[in-house]
Amino acid sequence: MNGRPSEDLDLRLAPAALAAWLVAWQVRAAPPRTVVLAAVVLAAVGLAVLVRSPRRSAAGVAAILLCAAAAATCTAGRVASRTAGPVPGLASRGAAVSVTAVLTDDPRQAGAQPGGRPLVVARLRVDRLTSAGRSYHLRAPVLVLATERSWLGLLPGQRLHAEGRLRAPEPGDDVAAVLSGRGAPLLLGRPGVLQ
């Protein structure tokens, strides 16, 4: 043996992985209950194929169906967690809010607004949201669009307070809402030790 890896590729699980990826990609905008129902049907058919046919090709078909069912279930759970709670309703009304949140990614400049002001994009995990005198404790992913350049100097892990107006995300987005930021964020803490 010369220490080199084998040149033969084993692609037996590639169709199952592709099925899982395609299902997760396609069902992210679908209602979670519908997706869970479809996952149950896929799992039942996959198990039936596996039990009724001892052939190797049947095992491949069952693997495709079961992986698709698992991907659908996981995606439905993720979508349900984003669409539950007060944030989607507030976003559909365009509510003015103030949030206490943790920055989860590096802010970046996505272009410029008319007049040369930068458009900054940042991702937050909102822990507390206040709107119209009501406060909510939650954990919701929110995308911030702001024209204030001070967002660019923030680091992931920093706690902050921000204000703005919520709006609904595009179908299939991985956030609960989009916050049109107003003004500079108020820092509430330092970033973590790793930052």
Side-chain angles (χ1 to χ4, degrees):
M1 180 146 209
N2 60 9
R4 289 178 34 200
S6 173
E7 297 293 326
D8 296 334
L9 291 176
D10 187 356
L11 299 175
R12 290 179 288 180
L13 290 179
L18 181 62
W21 182 82
L22 285 172
V23 166
W25 178 48
Q26 288 297 313
V27 303
R28 68 191 193 288
R33 287 183 183 186
T34 304
V35 175
V36 169
L37 180 61
V40 169
V41 170
L42 285 170
V45 172
L47 289 173
V49 166
L50 193 59
V51 168
R52 291 183 185 252
S53 180
R55 290 192 209 142
R56 191 176 250 191
S57 61
V61 170
I64 290 170
L65 293 169
L66 293 172
C67 285
T73 303
C74 292
T75 304
R78 184 126 170 109
V79 169
S81 71
R82 276 195 325 268
T83 57
V87 175
L90 292 168
S92 69
R93 294 192 308 266
V97 299
S98 65
V99 299
T100 301
V102 175
L103 190 66
T104 60
D105 200 1
D106 288 310
R108 61 183 168 78
Q109 187 169 335
Q113 294 287 16
R117 294 173 60 179
L119 178 63
V120 179
V121 178
R123 297 179 72 87
L124 302 176
R125 184 192 72 229
V126 174
D127 297 324
R128 183 179 171 101
L129 181 142
T130 303
S131 179
R134 293 190 68 186
S135 290
Y136 306 93
H137 291 279
L138 44 92
R139 288 180 65 92
V142 171
L143 184 72
V144 176
L145 301 177
T147 57
E148 185 67 42
R149 188 174 288 280
S150 62
W151 282 90
L152 291 171
L154 302 180
L155 294 172
Q158 283 185 295
R159 290 190 56 75
L160 57 91
H161 178 82
E163 295 181 350
R165 194 166 288 279
L166 287 181
R167 64 180 174 87
E170 296 293 320
D173 280 356
D174 64 346
V175 294
V178 175
L179 176 68
S180 296
R182 186 179 71 217
L186 173 65
L187 295 180
L188 302 176
R190 295 179 175 223
V193 175
L194 293 177
Q195 291 295 333

